[in-house]
Amino acid sequence: RPVPVIAIDGPSASGKGTVAARVAEALGWHYLDSGSLYRLVALAGMRAGVALDDEARLAGIAAALPVSFEGGRIWLEGKDVTEDIRAEACSVGASKVAALPAVREALLDRQRDYRAAPGLVAEGRDIGSVVFPDAQLKVFLTASAEARAERRYKQLMEKGMAASMESLLRDLQERDARDAARPVAPLKQLPDAELLDTTQMDVKQAVSFVLERVPAVE
Ligand code: C5P
């Protein structure tokens, strides 16, 4: 039998990262934050002075990404970039490099390598549509744009980073539009995905929603 996969896709700042990580922890399964890979390509590209529409060079960076996920931190060429890749510049950059087909292609095998026993919880935009179309459980996790901007705002405040609600909401909406409108692997709710709208939910409720549906896939 194939190793089970739970695919959690959804828009920016919907909380899918937190939910996916907690579900993985509760089940003792592996966890893949696919967005971090696009963020890493953007960061590595920007640091190397590569334009974020230079598809060939960015695909080269994606294919050879010198990244490691040791000790719960994210390392790029041996430097801890866990916080750097969360900066707004990297969010915007990630959604730009993610629109390039060669970059997506270069990251496919790396993502599929995460599928290992006893199971995988993977989150992103195209996990259920492209990376693991045969996932046993697909969830489309979303929330209103205002709720998402507010959550991101609180996160940044807690980290002592500067932010304005207005510009966060605008960036989110621009990024969502770019992710949904791109010709390759656009963000969309699949017909076989369960809709999980967390606008009025806390993390615990969202985690329970997913866990309740797991027995069916084991
Ligand atoms: O999920 P996160 O906000 O970290 O992702 C950053 C960007 O990476 C997204 O805006 C999207 O453009 C891209 N992405 C993607 N496919 C994925 C995960 C992320 O295109 N599976």
Side-chain angles (χ1 to χ4, degrees):
R1 288 211 305 160
V3 172
V5 175
I6 298 174
I8 303 182
D9 288 302
S12 319
S14 54
K16 63 190 187 309
T18 311
V19 172
R22 296 221 185 147
V23 168
E25 201 186 328
L27 295 170
W29 289 12
H30 300 279
Y31 165 58
L32 167 63
D33 162 11
S34 64
S36 69
L37 298 174
Y38 294 94
R39 289 171 181 274
L40 284 159
V41 172
L43 182 66
M46 289 189 285
R47 288 191 175 169
V50 175
L52 294 186
D53 60 357
D54 187 334
E55 185 162 9
R57 286 187 69 192
L58 291 165
I61 289 175
L65 206 58
V67 62
S68 94
F69 294 88
E70 294 298 311
R73 309 290 299 174
I74 303 178
W75 309 84
L76 182 65
E77 284 182 284
K79 289 200 191 82
D80 188 341
V81 295
T82 316
E83 267 92 45
D84 298 328
I85 62 162
R86 300 292 152 199
E88 275 306 296
C90 267
S91 303
V92 175
S95 84
K96 290 185 178 161
V97 305
L100 307 171
V103 169
R104 306 197 69 85
E105 180 64 33
L107 293 175
L108 261 186
D109 285 343
R110 195 186 282 268
Q111 295 176 80
R112 290 186 177 143
D113 283 346
Y114 279 83
R115 187 176 199 162
L120 171 67
V121 183
E123 52 105 340
R125 304 290 186 293
D126 65 336
I127 301 298
S129 58
V130 177
V131 185
F132 299 113
D134 63 334
Q136 284 77 356
L137 175 62
K138 299 181 186 180
V139 175
F140 188 78
L141 198 159
T142 189
S144 73
E146 289 73 20
R148 293 184 288 118
E150 208 165 295
R151 287 174 195 169
R152 182 58 50 90
Y153 182 80
K154 278 190 192 148
Q155 265 177 6
L156 292 173
M157 286 296 122
E158 277 162 20
K159 288 183 191 155
M161 289 161 95
S164 103
M165 256 312 265
E166 211 174 292
S167 74
L168 279 176
L169 184 59
R170 196 182 49 234
D171 280 359
L172 266 183
Q173 285 170 326
E174 272 174 22
R175 196 143 69 89
D176 290 346
R178 195 156 43 229
D179 289 349
R182 69 185 177 214
V184 262
L187 171 69
K188 59 165 186 259
Q189 189 192 340
L190 301 170
D192 57 345
E194 304 251 7
L195 175 64
L196 173 52
D197 185 331
T198 65
T199 305
Q200 311 279 357
M201 261 186 213
D202 60 19
V203 173
K204 227 177 127 200
Q205 290 170 303
V207 169
S208 300
F209 176 98
V210 179
L211 288 176
E212 277 161 17
R213 282 156 182 80
V214 172
V217 311
E218 278 186 314

